[in-house]
């Protein structure tokens, strides 16, 4: 147990369970036009730093993601659970406190593009498959460390019934090595579990293709 | 579709979920091979729950918030089961490097059990945690 109390579970945003009443949520199973969304997020990461220790770190913050307009297969009209939506993460800002590492901050690595995709659902399911390849930088100022996953993304996936995915819980499947600024492996992100909260702002994309004259 | 109709539709899923939930949530089951709970869950997820979800996806009317919450929570639980199975395969869950996910599994299963019963017409087999679900 942490000195700050037990780490809370990652089981979905409180509105999922009726704990904070209803929040604005896009209509489920319907496609929505592309937009750049800023969303609240709560993250639990298990981080291991060689020679220092392992801790489960709870963080809160926001991310900004641009999602394109949905596209159907070929010339087909885009439909829920059949459409594909490309995404690009423009920003991620997380903060947490660890008993082992002190302050922990996470942001995106500007040397890599963090992208994702919402793709058709598994057969017999109505949930679209949501996947994101994120390249984080982890700052541990009290240890004097700024570390990243270098060329390896942390892949997060979830199964969603609305876009933007309010209430979604995305989880990693594989660990990712952490390297320092000289390229030495100094630890790893063992796991990432992410609870997506409400939309704080949404800016529509409008037209994204040249109009025929 | 009325709330009562949704309730009847969810009742069948609720009765099947009652059989699956203890296999996921009970810490004693985490010491046993994960193959049976995993197969039971997948059978539920792609079977009786998928039937409810298909009705939800086709619905043109307003869907009660609690019914949407059941769907979101079920798909979130499916992803949790998926990552646990990817890590441990058919071995017992207790071998995981990420035991905090077992806490998530127990909590999410318990809460989903309460939620699904709150909107179904079927009475829960046992009382759950109080005050979690406002519908």
């Amino acid at each position: 147990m942490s000195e700050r109390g037990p780490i809370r579970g990652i089981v979905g945003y409180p509105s999922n369970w009726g704990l904070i009443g209803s929040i604005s949520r896009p209509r489920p199973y319907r496609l929505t036009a592309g937009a750049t969304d800023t969303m609240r997020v709560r993250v639990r990461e298990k981080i291991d730093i060689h020679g220092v220790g392992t801790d489960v770190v709870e963080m809160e913050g926001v991310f900004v993601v641009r999602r394109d307009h949905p596209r159907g297969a070929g010339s087909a009209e885009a439909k829920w659970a059949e459409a594909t939506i490309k995404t690009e993460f423009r920003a991620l800002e997380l903060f947490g406190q660890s008993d082992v590492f002190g302050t922990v901050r996470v942001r995106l690595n500007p040397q890599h593009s963090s992208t994702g995709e919402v793709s058709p659902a598994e057969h017999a399911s109505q949930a679209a498959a949501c996947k994101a390849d994120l390249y984080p930088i982890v700052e541990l100022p009290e240890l004097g460390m700024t570390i990243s996953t270098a060329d390896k993304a942390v892949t997060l996936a979830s199964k969603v019934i609305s876009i933007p995915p309010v209430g979604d819980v995305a989880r990693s499947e594989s660990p990712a090595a952490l390297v320092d600024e000289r390229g030495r492996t100094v630890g790893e992100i063992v796991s990432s579990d992410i609870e997506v909260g409400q939309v704080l702002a949404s800016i529509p994309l409008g037209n994204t293709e040249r109009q025929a004259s | 579709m009325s709330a009562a109709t949704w309730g009847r539709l969810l009742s069948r899923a609720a009765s099947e979920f009652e059989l699956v939930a203890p296999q996921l949530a009970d810490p004693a089951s985490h010491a046993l091979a994960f193959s049976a709970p995993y197969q039971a869950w997948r059978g539920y997820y792609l079977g009786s729950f998928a039937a409810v979800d298909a009705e939800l996806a086709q619905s043109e009317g307003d869907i009660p918030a609690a019914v949407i919450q059941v769907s979101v929570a079920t798909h979130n639980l499916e992803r949790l089961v998926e990552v646990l199975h990817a890590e441990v395969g058919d071995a017992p869950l207790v071998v995981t490097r990420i035991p905090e996910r077992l806490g998530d599994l127990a909590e999410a299963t318990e809460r989903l059990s309460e939620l699904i019963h709150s909107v179904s017409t079927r009475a829960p087999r046992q009382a759950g945690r109080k005050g979690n679900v406002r519908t």
Side-chain angles (χ1 to χ4, degrees), chain A residues 122-146:
Chain A
E122 175 182 15
H123 177 67
S125 173
Q126 299 296 323
C130 191
K131 186 181 148 212
D133 291 323
L134 300 184
Y135 293 88
I137 287 180
V138 180
E139 297 175 345
L140 306 174
E142 287 160 55
L143 299 180
M145 299 177 85
T146 298

Side-chain angles (χ1 to χ4, degrees), chain A residues 20-51:
Chain A
I20 60 168
S22 295
I23 60 170
S24 175
R25 178 194 295 276
R27 184 175 171 87
Y29 315 101
R30 298 290 184 273
L31 294 170
T32 49
T36 300
D37 301 319
T38 301
M39 304 191 73
R40 187 178 293 280
V41 68
R42 190 165 72 88
V43 177
R44 185 184 65 202
E45 285 202 336
K46 185 169 215 168
I47 299 173
D48 176 48
I49 302 295
H50 302 333

Side-chain angles (χ1 to χ4, degrees), chain A residues 80-157:
Chain A
W80 178 260
E82 298 174 6
T84 298
I85 303 169
K86 300 284 187 187
T87 61
E88 180 181 356
F89 287 78
R90 297 290 176 84
L92 172 70
E93 295 291 340
L94 302 175
F95 162 80
Q97 279 294 134
S98 161
D99 292 340
V100 178
F101 312 126
T103 290
V104 180
R105 286 192 299 265
V106 176
R107 56 185 166 87
L108 291 180
N109 186 341
Q111 293 183 340
H112 294 273
S113 184
S114 291
T115 59
E117 185 174 279
V118 179
S119 53
E122 175 182 15
H123 177 67
S125 173
Q126 299 296 323
C130 191
K131 186 181 148 212
D133 291 323
L134 300 184
Y135 293 88
I137 287 180
V138 180
E139 297 175 345
L140 306 174
E142 287 160 55
L143 299 180
M145 299 177 85
T146 298
I147 49 186
S148 75
T149 58
D151 295 333
K152 181 175 168 57
V154 175
T155 300
L156 295 159

Side-chain angles (χ1 to χ4, degrees), chain A residues 8-12 15-22 25 27-30 44 46 56 122-127 156-159 161 166-169 171-173 175 188 190-193, chain B residues 42 45-46 50 53-54 56-63 65 68-73 75-76 78-80 82-83 86 97-101 103-104 107-108 111-112 115 131-134:
Chain A
R8 290 180 289 167
I10 295 284
V11 295
S15 71
N16 274 13
W17 308 103
L19 293 174
I20 60 168
S22 295
R25 178 194 295 276
R27 184 175 171 87
Y29 315 101
R30 298 290 184 273
R44 185 184 65 202
K46 185 169 215 168
V56 178
E122 175 182 15
H123 177 67
S125 173
Q126 299 296 323
L156 295 159
S158 56
K159 303 187 179 194
I161 63 164
V166 175
D168 180 31
V169 178
R171 298 183 190 270
S172 67
E173 211 163 279
E188 67 177 345
V190 178
S191 62
S192 294
D193 299 278
Chain B
R42 289 288 289 169
Y45 179 70
L46 295 174
D53 220 23
L56 279 165
Q58 289 163 18
S59 174
E60 292 296 332
D62 287 339
I63 304 170
I68 297 171
Q69 289 163 3
V70 167
S71 182
V72 172
H75 291 300
N76 284 341
E78 155 67 9
R79 175 59 184 162
L80 176 55
E82 186 175 65
V83 295
R97 284 186 74 194
I98 313 160
E100 49 276 12
R101 283 181 173 166
D104 295 347
E107 184 178 347
R111 286 188 173 193
L112 179 55
L115 188 58
N132 273 349
V133 179
R134 269 188 254 135

Side-chain angles (χ1 to χ4, degrees), chain B residues 57 77 81 86 93 98 101-102 111 113 117:
Chain B
L77 184 54
V81 170
L93 284 174
I98 313 160
R101 283 181 173 166
L102 301 188
R111 286 188 173 193
S113 185
H117 280 106

